[in-house]
Amino acid sequence: MKNLKKRTLAIALCVALAAMLALAGCSQSSNSSEESTSADDSATTVSDTAAKLDPNTDYTKPFFCMIMGGDTRDGTVAESEWNDSNSHSDVMILAYVNPSKKYISLLSIPRDTDVTYNGKEMKINTIMYEDGPEATCKFLEDKLDISIPYYFEMNFVQWAGFVDNMNGVDVDVPVALSWKDVISGENVKLSTGKQTLNGKEALVFARDRHQYSGAGEAVRQINNRNMVKSLITKVAKSSNPTSYADTLINGCQTNMNSAELKEYMTNFLTKDGKVSWNLGTAPWEGDFFTPDYWAVNADWDTVKSEIKAMKNGTDLTSIVALTDVKAGTNLLAHLCCSNIGKAGRGMLCRLSL
């Protein structure tokens, strides 16, 4: 199989913002778009030289897209150690956007979901590592009987830079965190409560799963969804969000061009910036399939029920309840990532416990 070397955000990801922006628009600050810069000028981006609207697409109708963030260390202090530009999609958020109703639903697909792809058993986040984001979208289309025409990816550096360009992201940090910023290598501490995070703080918040009791991976996906919601809300309230569409397109990997993004934004945004939300997750509880392989059992029938809920506005958490968010020590994730390191990638170090 041909590996697609994508620079994507992991977060954890965080992540995940790229698409969120695409959904509602992307105002980075009160400055004009001419003064804005891409989060990572060296990042591979989709050429927008032929940016135009598809005459066969109705840009007022609802659509799905994938928000994806990966685990490549490109551009970080760990780049030489990992030496691999291919990326697992550690953040997968399926977004449903209804422009006419000013409504967005976000559904996390756990990265540890066990699947069979091309005859091989693997976690679903490995599909992007092997064949790119389009293959992940196609896999989910086949499993869920939906069309996912668009995807958005960001890498670590792009995510941190993007949040800084947005003048931060407003969050409510549930527990105090202390973790290393993978880009600079510096330790970052976050206190609890409502606050505005800068880029490196947002990256730590998006990635950390070790300092929660119980299902740390499920907790960080809650954090990721909340950041996506926060930034879209910020964009929706900005005075001229469409002027920043090009910055988003140039700051991530996507198959949507700027003309399409601006058209969706024009149809979606309202003067009052109000957006209705429906956030949730696909089944996330897992177990050891073998002594060294922890995974989430795929339950596509439940996810199909959630797809219906995304469309009709039924509370997603009434179908799959969220994990509790409590401070603690996620011993398995902490020990395997600290002691196994690179050798544990794709094995115990990818635990969600």
Side-chain angles (χ1 to χ4, degrees), residues 181-198:
D181 166 32
V182 70
I183 297 176
S184 67
E186 299 173 352
N187 192 62
V188 173
K189 294 184 178 181
L190 301 179
S191 58
T192 60
K194 294 181 179 180
Q195 56 197 284
T196 301
L197 304 183
N198 62 27

Side-chain angles (χ1 to χ4, degrees), residues 10-76:
I11 131 139
L13 256 268
C14 202
V15 110
L17 244 345
M20 109 204 171
L21 311 166
L23 306 180
C26 122
S27 160
Q28 297 157 339
S29 70
S30 59
N31 297 330
S32 67
S33 59
E34 287 78 7
E35 296 172 337
S36 302
T37 58
S38 168
D40 180 7
D41 292 335
S42 65
T44 301
T45 58
V46 175
S47 173
D48 224 26
T49 56
K52 60 183 179 180
L53 301 179
D54 183 346
N56 297 316
T57 299
D58 184 347
Y59 294 95
T60 66
K61 288 187 175 181
F63 65 95
F64 285 99
C65 68
M66 282 298 297
I67 301 169
M68 307 175 76
D71 63 354
T72 178
R73 266 58 174 178
D74 285 0
T76 74

Side-chain angles (χ1 to χ4, degrees), residues 118-233:
N118 284 346
K120 297 187 296 183
E121 183 180 28
M122 63 181 66
K123 294 184 179 182
I124 195 170
N125 63 349
T126 305
I127 296 176
M128 189 172 81
Y129 182 86
E130 296 206 347
D131 283 336
E134 298 93 340
T136 301
C137 291
K138 179 62 168 61
F139 181 86
L140 289 170
E141 285 180 334
D142 292 343
K143 291 297 182 182
L144 301 175
D145 298 326
I146 60 175
S147 173
I148 307 174
Y150 306 113
Y151 68 84
F152 298 82
E153 298 178 64
M154 278 190 181
N155 61 33
F156 289 125
V157 176
Q158 288 172 319
W159 170 246
F162 182 78
V163 171
D164 282 336
N165 286 338
M166 288 284 291
N167 288 333
V169 55
D170 299 325
V171 301
D172 189 352
V173 178
V175 304
L177 302 176
S178 179
W179 203 250
K180 185 174 73 172
D181 166 32
V182 70
I183 297 176
S184 67
E186 299 173 352
N187 192 62
V188 173
K189 294 184 178 181
L190 301 179
S191 58
T192 60
K194 294 181 179 180
Q195 56 197 284
T196 301
L197 304 183
N198 62 27
K200 66 180 180 181
E201 293 169 337
L203 184 57
V204 165
F205 186 56
R207 295 188 64 227
D208 182 52
R209 72 185 194 278
H210 300 77
Q211 297 171 81
Y212 303 95
S213 63
E217 175 63 26
V219 172
R220 75 170 177 178
Q221 298 308 330
I222 292 174
N223 294 339
N224 291 337
R225 293 192 300 272
N226 286 338
M227 284 197 288
V228 169
K229 177 181 176 180
S230 175
L231 284 172
I232 292 181
T233 301

Side-chain angles (χ1 to χ4, degrees), residues 60-63 95-105 267-268 275-276 310-311:
T60 66
K61 288 187 175 181
F63 65 95
Y96 176 77
V97 184
N98 189 325
S100 63
K101 292 185 177 181
K102 319 305 177 191
Y103 164 80
I104 298 175
S105 183
N267 290 319
F268 185 89
V275 179
S276 58
M310 295 176 78
K311 293 179 178 180

